[in-house]
């Protein structure tokens, strides 16, 4: 079952960026005027730029589809490859929406990223109480073989395991208590990577997590725990090729160049590439006003630390327009309905965040 470990080189991750997107005329009709696409500016500096989206938005909003086609060199299926979307019943797969995203990617000439094979959220209700010692391994094996197998050799990369670390759960190994952990123990993480590599030996396989970007003690501790997980995966010869840094940032975060660079060096020393996988910025101090400028500043501060690192190969935002941001639905965030976390506003007009991202790419050597 164990696939030969593969050290991805930067060009493995970037190769997809070389495919110039073909934008059909009907999509061009809605394109907004902007000087150069993020995808093009990033590709000039060896970085793959893209975003996450839903099949529903591609299908119902041609102007948004045009914006995606114009800006992106890679597209992530934001929700449509999750268990909740793919597994309506224990014995049935429904690829309708995932295939719609894959079809869109094919039409505009960019690769799709897979997100995500193993997560404790977005599980269908039939999973409740059904992931146990007896069922968990065959469930994972069937799921990963079927889903990864369907898109074999066609995806840019897979987020194989998502958010497996949570220090709040108090385990010595830093792992989160999830249904998969309770059923299979800590080895479920390596198992998932082995299953993914067996289903698509050419896929770039990513461990993806959040809360590791800023200068807080909590983020520092989590970075250490993530490195320890990577060490255990490497010791088990699990085929993990890249670290996905989600980067759901907020305007009150402070970033530390030294601490983050040390972490990126540690990741690179372990032979992994780095991808920024879910970038956006929530404003958690709305009373200060001037949200767009403060959001843009947070993008710049973070990207100026992470983009120049030799291991960083991709920069992916979690949506392109505020209109569809998941943060708008997050009731735990103050004034969530007024958040403006992404590069384009609700009417697809460019914002200071767009300029900040473009400028960060432009500053790269
Ligand atoms: O769009 C509907 C809206 O019409 C409706 O009024 C509202 C009612 O609650 O729901 C809206 O859809 C929700 C959507 O988030 C909004 O973006 C869905 O119910 C909800 O299931 C969906 O959640 C997704 C979440 O993962 C859980 O799967 C988000 O789309 C998605 O952005 C979020 O993404 C995660 C990554 O997968 C992993 N990292 C963190 C990231 C943010 O939580």
């Amino acid at each position: 079952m164990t696939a030969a470990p593969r050290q991805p080189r930067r060009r493995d991750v970037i190769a997809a960026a070389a495919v110039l997107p073909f934008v059909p005329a009907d999509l061009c009709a809605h394109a907004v005027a902007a000087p150069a696409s993020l995808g093009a500016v990033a590709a000039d500096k060896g970085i793959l730029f893209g975003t996450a989206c839903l099949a529903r938005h591609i299908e119902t909003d041609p102007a948004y589809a045009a914006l995606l086609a114009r800006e992106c060199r890679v597209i992530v299926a934001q929700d449509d490859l999750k268990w909740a979307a793919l597994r309506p019943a224990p014995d049935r797969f429904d690829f309708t929406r995932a295939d719609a995203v894959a079809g869109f990617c094919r039409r505009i000439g960019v690769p799709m990223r897979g997100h995500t094979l193993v997560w404790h959220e977005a599980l269908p209700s039939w999973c409740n109480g059904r992931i146990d010692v007896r069922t968990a391994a065959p469930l994972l094996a069937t799921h990963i073989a079927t889903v990864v197998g369907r898109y074999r050799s066609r995806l840019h990369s897979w987020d194989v395991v998502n958010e497996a670390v949570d220090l709040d759960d108090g385990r010595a190994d830093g792992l989160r208590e999830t249904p998969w952990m309770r059923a299979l123990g800590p080895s479920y993480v390596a198992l998932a990577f082995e299953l993914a590599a067996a289903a698509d030996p050419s896929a770039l396989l990513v461990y993806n997590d959040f809360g590791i970007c800023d200068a807080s003690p909590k983020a520092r501790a989590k970075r250490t725990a993530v490195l320890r997980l990577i060490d255990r995966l490497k010791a088990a010869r699990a085929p993990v090729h890249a670290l996905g840094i989600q980067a759901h940032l907020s305007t009150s975060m402070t970033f530390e160049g030294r601490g983050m660079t040390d972490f990126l060096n540690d990741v690179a020393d372990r032979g992994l590439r780095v991808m920024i996988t879910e970038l956006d910025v929530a404003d958690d101090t709305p009373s200060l006003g001037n949200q767009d400028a403060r959001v843009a500043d947070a993008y710049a501060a973070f990207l100026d630390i992470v983009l120049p690192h030799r291991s960083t190969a991709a920069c992916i935002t979690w949506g392109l327009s505020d209109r569809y941001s998941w943060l708008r639905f997050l009731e735990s965030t103050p004034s969530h309905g007024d958040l403006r976390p992404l590069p384009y506003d609700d009417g697809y007009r460019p914002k200071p965040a767009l300029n900040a991202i473009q400028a960060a790419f432009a500053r790269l050597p």
Side-chain angles (χ1 to χ4, degrees):
M1 180 68 71
T2 306
R6 171 175 161 272
Q7 295 300 312
R9 288 159 304 179
R10 188 179 181 100
R11 71 166 177 272
D12 290 321
V13 191
I14 294 304
V19 184
L20 281 176
F22 164 71
V23 184
D26 59 327
L27 295 181
C28 286
H30 298 273
V32 297
S37 79
L38 286 168
V41 176
D44 264 0
K45 302 301 176 103
I47 298 284
L48 181 63
F49 176 83
T51 200
C53 70
L54 301 176
R56 189 171 79 238
H57 297 152
I58 295 168
E59 286 165 351
T60 60
D61 186 343
Y64 192 55
L67 191 67
L68 296 168
R70 180 194 139 73
E71 296 288 10
C72 297
R73 299 290 172 96
V74 63
I75 293 281
V76 188
Q78 178 174 316
D79 287 344
D80 296 321
L81 279 166
K82 292 173 179 171
W83 280 62
L86 293 179
R87 307 294 303 268
D91 57 350
R92 211 154 59 76
F93 285 82
D94 179 354
F95 286 101
T96 313
R97 282 176 287 164
D99 283 354
V101 179
F104 175 70
C105 290
R106 208 166 39 246
R107 287 200 301 285
I108 67 170
V110 306
M112 177 165 81
R113 283 199 77 229
H115 173 85
T116 175
L117 297 168
V118 184
W119 194 25
H120 57 284
E121 287 187 34
L123 289 167
S125 52
W126 63 258
C127 279
N128 292 343
R130 282 178 90 142
I131 301 174
D132 59 31
V133 178
R134 193 179 50 83
T135 60
L139 262 178
L140 270 191
T142 303
H143 184 83
I144 293 176
T146 307
V147 178
V148 177
R150 184 179 185 88
Y151 300 102
R152 184 185 167 104
S153 305
R154 289 197 283 142
L155 291 204
H156 171 269
S157 50
W158 267 108
D159 288 337
V160 177
V161 178
N162 196 40
E163 303 174 5
V165 172
D166 184 0
L167 295 173
D168 290 344
D169 281 353
R171 289 179 53 94
D173 59 11
L175 290 182
R176 183 190 295 273
E177 292 288 358
T178 74
W180 305 112
M181 163 69 86
R182 281 189 283 275
L184 296 169
S187 65
Y188 86 90
V189 184
L191 173 67
F193 279 93
E194 284 162 10
L195 290 167
D200 185 353
S202 67
L204 186 87
L205 303 181
V206 182
Y207 173 72
N208 195 46
D209 215 329
F210 69 96
I212 51 178
C213 295
D214 64 289
S216 67
K218 189 165 183 176
R220 283 185 194 149
K222 187 157 178 179
R223 287 197 283 270
T224 303
V226 166
L227 283 176
R228 280 172 34 225
L229 171 61
I230 292 170
D231 283 340
R232 293 195 299 274
L233 289 172
K234 300 297 276 185
R237 300 180 65 76
V240 53
H241 307 132
L243 172 67
I245 298 179
Q246 291 189 9
H248 292 293
L249 310 179
S250 76
T251 50
S252 64
M253 281 180 180
T254 54
F255 303 101
E256 49 179 353
R258 181 65 189 273
M260 195 65 187
T261 303
D262 286 350
F263 173 68
L264 297 173
N265 287 339
D266 288 341
V267 173
D269 289 348
R270 287 155 173 80
L272 270 65
R273 312 307 317 213
V274 166
M275 301 173 66
I276 301 168
T277 50
E278 304 186 14
L279 181 62
D280 57 17
V281 181
D283 182 12
D284 43 13
T285 45
S287 59
L288 293 179
N290 210 12
Q291 178 177 178
D292 285 355
R294 286 180 300 105
V295 165
D297 286 349
Y299 273 107
F302 174 73
L303 290 176
D304 279 347
I305 295 168
V306 179
L307 284 181
H309 196 273
R310 67 185 191 281
S311 64
T312 303
C315 176
I316 293 164
T317 57
W318 209 234
L320 269 189
S321 160
D322 297 336
R323 175 187 291 225
Y324 297 129
S325 170
W326 69 288
L327 290 162
R328 288 270 176 96
F329 299 96
L330 203 62
E331 284 169 15
S332 55
T333 306
S335 311
H336 55 90
D338 299 326
L339 290 176
R340 296 168 59 84
L342 290 168
Y344 283 91
D345 74 5
D346 289 63
Y348 308 149
R349 286 172 294 265
K351 293 167 48 198
L354 178 78
N355 300 336
I357 298 169
Q358 255 185 359
F361 290 142
R363 278 193 289 277
L364 292 174

